[in-house]
Amino acid sequence: MVKKDKKSKVAEQKARVAAKQNKKAAQKEKKGKSKGNDDSDADDVDLESVLEEYAKQQALYLKVTEVVCEPPSPRASSTIIGSPSNINELFLFGGEFYNGALATFFNDLFIYLIDRGEWRKVTSPNSPLPRSGHAWCRGGNAGGVYLFGGEFSSPKQGTFYHYNDFWRLDPSTREWTRLETKGKGPPARSGHRMTYFKNYILLFGGFQDTSQQTKYLQDIWIYDCQNYIWHNPSLPPATQKPDARSSFSFLPHDLGAVIYGGYSRVKTITAAGKQTKGGTQGVRSVLKPMIHQDTWFLRIMLPLTESTAGTAPSIRWERRKKPANAPNPPRAGATMAYHKGRGILFGGVHDVEESEEGIDSEFFDQLFAWNIERNRYFQLSLRRPRAMNRKQPLVERGNAKRGRGKADEEELLRNLAALESPNLAVDPDAMEIDTVVEKKEELVKIEQKTLMTMPHARFNAQLAVQDDVLYIFGGTYEHGDREYTFDEMYAVDLGKLDGVREIYQRELDNWHGSEGSESDSQDEEDDSDDEYMDGDDLKGVPLPRDEVESVPIVVSEKIVDSQDDVEDEQAEPIITDTRPHPRPFESLREFFSRSSLEWQETVMEASRKGNFDLDTSVKEIRKKAFEMAETKWWDCREEITALEDQQEEAGIGEVVSIKDRGSETSGAARRR
């Protein structure tokens, strides 16, 4: 009887699955017919004439104008970047918005004034045409912002157009200039990435979509900003290089650039149909998504000084080891933003193909920092705000340290003067030293909501870092056949990690998908307990976020390496760094104030050895010393943060060296 009941249950389950599949097939057929009727003229759209009309409308603007406006409308595949000439400005350009029925492309340039909390919209008679999936980057030594490529499509995405134009944006005047380069340039594409190296702009990868197929690219292009020419370095056939991909991270490096991750679709052979009587089975070629997890270093060797103008630099691809503590599972749609020798990563999506009919996706809201030199990931977590009274004793200690270090400072001044002019006696008291002071002037006090949870999980969020603050704009989330484009922007202080500032957040727009899609989504909701959506009425309903009060603050966790990563670490030579090391609860300013003399001596020693050309003035040496101290402070940031969390859990609010207390504390007091 038990077996009979079990068989009947299995039969009922099979019948239920078959009925559901028949229903889906009927809905797809209905959707296909309606799409065929609605999109009958989509493929006949002449995109070039449409873009020509855009250009005519844009030419009606007589000059560059900048007006205060509301935050940008929701959009995906746009680009955001910190201004290279003003730490209080962010630039946002382009993007597209798809509401389930029609796609809209943008070419407006927005500026976010950080100190004012104000958005401005720039209109120009000479601006790139509407697009998404383009790439831009800072110009390095050349200054400005450079943009290349992107895509445009008909409203119903029946036909696509890829750009191969190249632009430069002047961050001060807000003026666009289309660059006409010498010789051949990169082919049209989107989904590529760009970065800078000295006076060069680097471009790699991307894809070309012809509606019928998608071709991923693996070519490297180098633009010479001084001679206005593109170079496409050729490599020997046997040379290893990264596979074709898009949506990867492309970050600058002192000796070139680094690549991590990316996404592509690769051909794989799978079995087709059932096995025949003869024992053979048919095969077919299908395209399967691939999330790349490899890391590459692009080493660039500059042309010799006696080379003719326009000589291309030589390059070499070097594959690096797998990063330690990489985000797991691997994820797509998580392009990094560069910050002080690190890549900052947020969000992403991991797709698992359950069958040919569906994909199960997992979305993330985690924040990571990838230390490029050490090739190691650190997860960044929001931290408890520290008590204000713990910093007060530092003022008294600062006065003692200044008095104690006066003699050492005078001795260093004599050494610097001797280095500048060995035969000339210089009075150190007559020298003027520029102190490095982090001064931030607040023009307007802006009240912004602070959250102690990360923004909702998403992929393809646009990231930018300006003045040690990470800005997260937009992003996409999928539920069933529906796609949601977030209409919001957040900021996270990478030094403090003391919360997420909500710059603005608006409700999601309604989804205008077909009835079939809605029915499919409803079926999926019936079959599974979805924790994100409740019901099928989407109008004015934002994706839920946990309440701030009900969620405990997550403290940074200790890093645990896998055995493979430990073995890789042991294989590398251990280098002892004798330079000053930051202490827990010590700000960058305090660290440099404490270790300024050591860093300046390090700079002088490196200058004597000829490691770099340096103007031997006191101002230049002190500036270089601060840059080295800042690099060290950020390089150790994750480990110091973990130490701070451990000490706070143990009830230790601050670690102070007894040597720094000097004579202000007696022996008995020190023992206590």
Side-chain angles (χ1 to χ4, degrees), residues 27-45:
Q27 288 172 347
K28 285 182 179 179
E29 184 179 357
K30 180 180 176 183
K31 183 179 176 182
K33 287 181 179 179
S34 63
K35 187 175 179 180
N37 294 332
D38 295 343
D39 292 354
S40 58
D41 60 338
D43 292 334
D44 297 332
V45 174

PDB file of all heavy atoms in Angstrom, residues 27-45:
ATOM      1  N   GLN A  27       2.390  30.018 -23.299  1.00  0.00           N
ATOM      2  CA  GLN A  27       2.636  31.437 -23.039  1.00  0.00           C
ATOM      3  C   GLN A  27       3.766  31.972 -23.902  1.00  0.00           C
ATOM      4  O   GLN A  27       3.706  33.081 -24.415  1.00  0.00           O
ATOM      5  CB  GLN A  27       2.961  31.631 -21.558  1.00  0.00           C
ATOM      6  CG  GLN A  27       1.749  31.452 -20.654  1.00  0.00           C
ATOM      7  CD  GLN A  27       2.130  31.458 -19.191  1.00  0.00           C
ATOM      8  OE1 GLN A  27       3.301  31.350 -18.854  1.00  0.00           O
ATOM      9  NE2 GLN A  27       1.141  31.564 -18.311  1.00  0.00           N
ATOM     10  N   LYS A  28       4.835  31.159 -24.068  1.00  0.00           N
ATOM     11  CA  LYS A  28       5.952  31.582 -24.912  1.00  0.00           C
ATOM     12  C   LYS A  28       5.525  31.736 -26.355  1.00  0.00           C
ATOM     13  O   LYS A  28       5.943  32.659 -27.054  1.00  0.00           O
ATOM     14  CB  LYS A  28       7.102  30.569 -24.805  1.00  0.00           C
ATOM     15  CG  LYS A  28       7.882  30.670 -23.510  1.00  0.00           C
ATOM     16  CD  LYS A  28       9.030  29.686 -23.486  1.00  0.00           C
ATOM     17  CE  LYS A  28       9.813  29.811 -22.180  1.00  0.00           C
ATOM     18  NZ  LYS A  28      10.932  28.837 -22.125  1.00  0.00           N
ATOM     19  N   GLU A  29       4.665  30.807 -26.814  1.00  0.00           N
ATOM     20  CA  GLU A  29       4.187  30.902 -28.196  1.00  0.00           C
ATOM     21  C   GLU A  29       3.347  32.151 -28.388  1.00  0.00           C
ATOM     22  O   GLU A  29       3.488  32.883 -29.366  1.00  0.00           O
ATOM     23  CB  GLU A  29       3.371  29.651 -28.529  1.00  0.00           C
ATOM     24  CG  GLU A  29       2.920  29.609 -29.985  1.00  0.00           C
ATOM     25  CD  GLU A  29       2.142  28.340 -30.289  1.00  0.00           C
ATOM     26  OE1 GLU A  29       2.020  27.489 -29.386  1.00  0.00           O
ATOM     27  OE2 GLU A  29       1.661  28.213 -31.422  1.00  0.00           O
ATOM     28  N   LYS A  30       2.495  32.426 -27.382  1.00  0.00           N
ATOM     29  CA  LYS A  30       1.667  33.627 -27.444  1.00  0.00           C
ATOM     30  C   LYS A  30       2.523  34.890 -27.410  1.00  0.00           C
ATOM     31  O   LYS A  30       2.310  35.835 -28.159  1.00  0.00           O
ATOM     32  CB  LYS A  30       0.689  33.620 -26.267  1.00  0.00           C
ATOM     33  CG  LYS A  30      -0.239  34.829 -26.215  1.00  0.00           C
ATOM     34  CD  LYS A  30      -1.157  34.725 -25.004  1.00  0.00           C
ATOM     35  CE  LYS A  30      -2.021  35.977 -24.892  1.00  0.00           C
ATOM     36  NZ  LYS A  30      -2.877  35.923 -23.672  1.00  0.00           N
ATOM     37  N   LYS A  31       3.535  34.850 -26.528  1.00  0.00           N
ATOM     38  CA  LYS A  31       4.451  35.992 -26.417  1.00  0.00           C
ATOM     39  C   LYS A  31       5.224  36.202 -27.706  1.00  0.00           C
ATOM     40  O   LYS A  31       5.423  37.317 -28.178  1.00  0.00           O
ATOM     41  CB  LYS A  31       5.421  35.751 -25.255  1.00  0.00           C
ATOM     42  CG  LYS A  31       6.375  36.885 -24.998  1.00  0.00           C
ATOM     43  CD  LYS A  31       7.261  36.546 -23.821  1.00  0.00           C
ATOM     44  CE  LYS A  31       8.300  37.646 -23.616  1.00  0.00           C
ATOM     45  NZ  LYS A  31       9.208  37.309 -22.501  1.00  0.00           N
ATOM     46  N   GLY A  32       5.649  35.070 -28.326  1.00  0.00           N
ATOM     47  CA  GLY A  32       6.396  35.170 -29.582  1.00  0.00           C
ATOM     48  C   GLY A  32       5.558  35.755 -30.693  1.00  0.00           C
ATOM     49  O   GLY A  32       6.017  36.549 -31.505  1.00  0.00           O
ATOM     50  N   LYS A  33       4.277  35.344 -30.746  1.00  0.00           N
ATOM     51  CA  LYS A  33       3.397  35.871 -31.790  1.00  0.00           C
ATOM     52  C   LYS A  33       3.164  37.362 -31.600  1.00  0.00           C
ATOM     53  O   LYS A  33       3.215  38.154 -32.535  1.00  0.00           O
ATOM     54  CB  LYS A  33       2.068  35.126 -31.764  1.00  0.00           C
ATOM     55  CG  LYS A  33       2.158  33.704 -32.296  1.00  0.00           C
ATOM     56  CD  LYS A  33       0.800  33.030 -32.251  1.00  0.00           C
ATOM     57  CE  LYS A  33       0.887  31.605 -32.803  1.00  0.00           C
ATOM     58  NZ  LYS A  33      -0.427  30.913 -32.736  1.00  0.00           N
ATOM     59  N   SER A  34       2.888  37.739 -30.331  1.00  0.00           N
ATOM     60  CA  SER A  34       2.644  39.167 -30.069  1.00  0.00           C
ATOM     61  C   SER A  34       3.886  39.985 -30.339  1.00  0.00           C
ATOM     62  O   SER A  34       3.831  41.079 -30.884  1.00  0.00           O
ATOM     63  CB  SER A  34       2.182  39.365 -28.625  1.00  0.00           C
ATOM     64  OG  SER A  34       3.201  38.972 -27.742  1.00  0.00           O
ATOM     65  N   LYS A  35       5.062  39.420 -29.984  1.00  0.00           N
ATOM     66  CA  LYS A  35       6.316  40.137 -30.245  1.00  0.00           C
ATOM     67  C   LYS A  35       6.547  40.258 -31.732  1.00  0.00           C
ATOM     68  O   LYS A  35       7.025  41.265 -32.237  1.00  0.00           O
ATOM     69  CB  LYS A  35       7.478  39.395 -29.575  1.00  0.00           C
ATOM     70  CG  LYS A  35       8.779  40.148 -29.644  1.00  0.00           C
ATOM     71  CD  LYS A  35       9.863  39.430 -28.865  1.00  0.00           C
ATOM     72  CE  LYS A  35      11.158  40.208 -28.969  1.00  0.00           C
ATOM     73  NZ  LYS A  35      12.247  39.557 -28.221  1.00  0.00           N
ATOM     74  N   GLY A  36       6.190  39.187 -32.460  1.00  0.00           N
ATOM     75  CA  GLY A  36       6.361  39.252 -33.912  1.00  0.00           C
ATOM     76  C   GLY A  36       5.509  40.327 -34.527  1.00  0.00           C
ATOM     77  O   GLY A  36       5.895  41.000 -35.476  1.00  0.00           O
ATOM     78  N   ASN A  37       4.289  40.529 -33.974  1.00  0.00           N
ATOM     79  CA  ASN A  37       3.415  41.566 -34.505  1.00  0.00           C
ATOM     80  C   ASN A  37       3.879  42.951 -34.093  1.00  0.00           C
ATOM     81  O   ASN A  37       3.909  43.881 -34.887  1.00  0.00           O
ATOM     82  CB  ASN A  37       1.979  41.336 -34.000  1.00  0.00           C
ATOM     83  CG  ASN A  37       1.382  40.052 -34.563  1.00  0.00           C
ATOM     84  OD1 ASN A  37       1.767  39.620 -35.652  1.00  0.00           O
ATOM     85  ND2 ASN A  37       0.458  39.436 -33.818  1.00  0.00           N
ATOM     86  N   ASP A  38       4.297  43.052 -32.792  1.00  0.00           N
ATOM     87  CA  ASP A  38       4.684  44.372 -32.292  1.00  0.00           C
ATOM     88  C   ASP A  38       6.013  44.817 -32.862  1.00  0.00           C
ATOM     89  O   ASP A  38       6.245  45.993 -33.088  1.00  0.00           O
ATOM     90  CB  ASP A  38       4.777  44.345 -30.758  1.00  0.00           C
ATOM     91  CG  ASP A  38       3.410  44.088 -30.138  1.00  0.00           C
ATOM     92  OD1 ASP A  38       2.410  44.270 -30.861  1.00  0.00           O
ATOM     93  OD2 ASP A  38       3.360  43.685 -28.960  1.00  0.00           O
ATOM     94  N   ASP A  39       6.958  43.869 -33.063  1.00  0.00           N
ATOM     95  CA  ASP A  39       8.298  44.218 -33.490  1.00  0.00           C
ATOM     96  C   ASP A  39       8.515  44.000 -34.983  1.00  0.00           C
ATOM     97  O   ASP A  39       9.627  43.867 -35.449  1.00  0.00           O
ATOM     98  CB  ASP A  39       9.333  43.369 -32.725  1.00  0.00           C
ATOM     99  CG  ASP A  39       9.371  43.745 -31.259  1.00  0.00           C
ATOM    100  OD1 ASP A  39       8.692  44.716 -30.914  1.00  0.00           O
ATOM    101  OD2 ASP A  39      10.060  43.058 -30.488  1.00  0.00           O
ATOM    102  N   SER A  40       7.412  43.975 -35.721  1.00  0.00           N
ATOM    103  CA  SER A  40       7.557  43.690 -37.148  1.00  0.00           C
ATOM    104  C   SER A  40       8.389  44.731 -37.858  1.00  0.00           C
ATOM    105  O   SER A  40       9.057  44.435 -38.837  1.00  0.00           O
ATOM    106  CB  SER A  40       6.164  43.603 -37.794  1.00  0.00           C
ATOM    107  OG  SER A  40       5.461  44.819 -37.584  1.00  0.00           O
ATOM    108  N   ASP A  41       8.376  45.951 -37.353  1.00  0.00           N
ATOM    109  CA  ASP A  41       9.151  47.001 -38.014  1.00  0.00           C
ATOM    110  C   ASP A  41      10.419  47.334 -37.247  1.00  0.00           C
ATOM    111  O   ASP A  41      11.138  48.268 -37.598  1.00  0.00           O
ATOM    112  CB  ASP A  41       8.300  48.270 -38.161  1.00  0.00           C
ATOM    113  CG  ASP A  41       7.837  48.792 -36.821  1.00  0.00           C
ATOM    114  OD1 ASP A  41       7.804  47.994 -35.856  1.00  0.00           O
ATOM    115  OD2 ASP A  41       7.493  49.976 -36.750  1.00  0.00           O
ATOM    116  N   ALA A  42      10.716  46.562 -36.160  1.00  0.00           N
ATOM    117  CA  ALA A  42      11.883  46.900 -35.340  1.00  0.00           C
ATOM    118  C   ALA A  42      13.172  46.744 -36.108  1.00  0.00           C
ATOM    119  O   ALA A  42      14.088  47.549 -35.985  1.00  0.00           O
ATOM    120  CB  ALA A  42      11.911  46.019 -34.090  1.00  0.00           C
ATOM    121  N   ASP A  43      13.260  45.680 -36.912  1.00  0.00           N
ATOM    122  CA  ASP A  43      14.500  45.435 -37.636  1.00  0.00           C
ATOM    123  C   ASP A  43      14.699  46.405 -38.785  1.00  0.00           C
ATOM    124  O   ASP A  43      15.775  46.473 -39.360  1.00  0.00           O
ATOM    125  CB  ASP A  43      14.518  43.999 -38.175  1.00  0.00           C
ATOM    126  CG  ASP A  43      14.618  42.990 -37.038  1.00  0.00           C
ATOM    127  OD1 ASP A  43      15.145  43.379 -35.986  1.00  0.00           O
ATOM    128  OD2 ASP A  43      14.158  41.852 -37.215  1.00  0.00           O
ATOM    129  N   ASP A  44      13.627  47.145 -39.149  1.00  0.00           N
ATOM    130  CA  ASP A  44      13.737  48.081 -40.257  1.00  0.00           C
ATOM    131  C   ASP A  44      14.136  49.476 -39.804  1.00  0.00           C
ATOM    132  O   ASP A  44      14.216  50.392 -40.614  1.00  0.00           O
ATOM    133  CB  ASP A  44      12.398  48.157 -41.017  1.00  0.00           C
ATOM    134  CG  ASP A  44      12.036  46.815 -41.649  1.00  0.00           C
ATOM    135  OD1 ASP A  44      12.971  46.055 -41.971  1.00  0.00           O
ATOM    136  OD2 ASP A  44      10.837  46.536 -41.805  1.00  0.00           O
ATOM    137  N   VAL A  45      14.346  49.640 -38.482  1.00  0.00           N
ATOM    138  CA  VAL A  45      14.715  50.960 -37.973  1.00  0.00           C
ATOM    139  C   VAL A  45      16.111  51.316 -38.451  1.00  0.00           C
ATOM    140  O   VAL A  45      17.054  50.542 -38.285  1.00  0.00           O
ATOM    141  CB  VAL A  45      14.649  50.969 -36.431  1.00  0.00           C
ATOM    142  CG1 VAL A  45      15.168  52.296 -35.890  1.00  0.00           C
ATOM    143  CG2 VAL A  45      13.228  50.725 -35.966  1.00  0.00           C
TER     144      VAL A  45
END
